[in-house]
Amino acid sequence: ISKNDLKRMLLWAADEYDFAVLKDIASAPPTAELRPIEGGEDGDAGQEHTQTDEEDMGMTYEELGLYGRLRKISRCGPVSMYRKLCVTWDHL
């Protein structure tokens, strides 16, 4: 499932069923939480994880979703993906 689709579904459910906690979940930065929290011990309240998936991958989930759509829906291989992305991401 696409992370962007999941986030949209969480935001919809938060509004539809009045579950505010789902908005908190959707707004949290995605992290694998593989690195320990800096400057804190396990269970410290208010500490933030310094690792985020998007920083580790070097790309956003929106960009990764585009890769998935090109591969699965458009059935692109590496070369055709490159050509389409050169047009789509003309800022690079």
Side-chain angles (χ1 to χ4, degrees):
I1 185 169
S2 163
K3 298 271 185 184
N4 288 333
D5 291 344
L6 177 60
K7 189 178 274 193
R8 281 196 303 269
M9 192 259 326
L10 287 171
L11 292 172
W12 170 84
D15 291 336
E16 184 72 19
Y17 299 111
D18 197 28
F19 289 133
V21 71
L22 294 178
K23 286 185 180 179
D24 295 338
I25 294 169
S27 66
T31 176
E33 299 177 3
L34 298 174
R35 296 184 200 136
I37 296 174
E38 289 185 0
E41 297 177 14
D42 290 338
D44 281 351
Q47 296 290 325
E48 294 290 326
H49 287 279
T50 58
Q51 172 192 16
T52 62
D53 292 348
E54 291 179 339
E55 287 177 7
D56 285 350
M57 290 186 298
M59 60 190 326
T60 66
Y61 277 111
E62 185 176 335
E63 294 167 337
L64 195 59
L66 180 55
Y67 272 36
R69 287 188 298 279
L70 287 172
R71 293 286 291 158
K72 294 291 184 179
I73 297 171
S74 299
R75 299 180 137 190
C76 292
V79 174
S80 58
M81 277 182 62
Y82 173 78
R83 289 179 178 162
K84 287 185 180 199
L85 290 173
C86 283
V87 173
T88 305
W89 293 342
D90 58 354
H91 63 281
L92 299 178

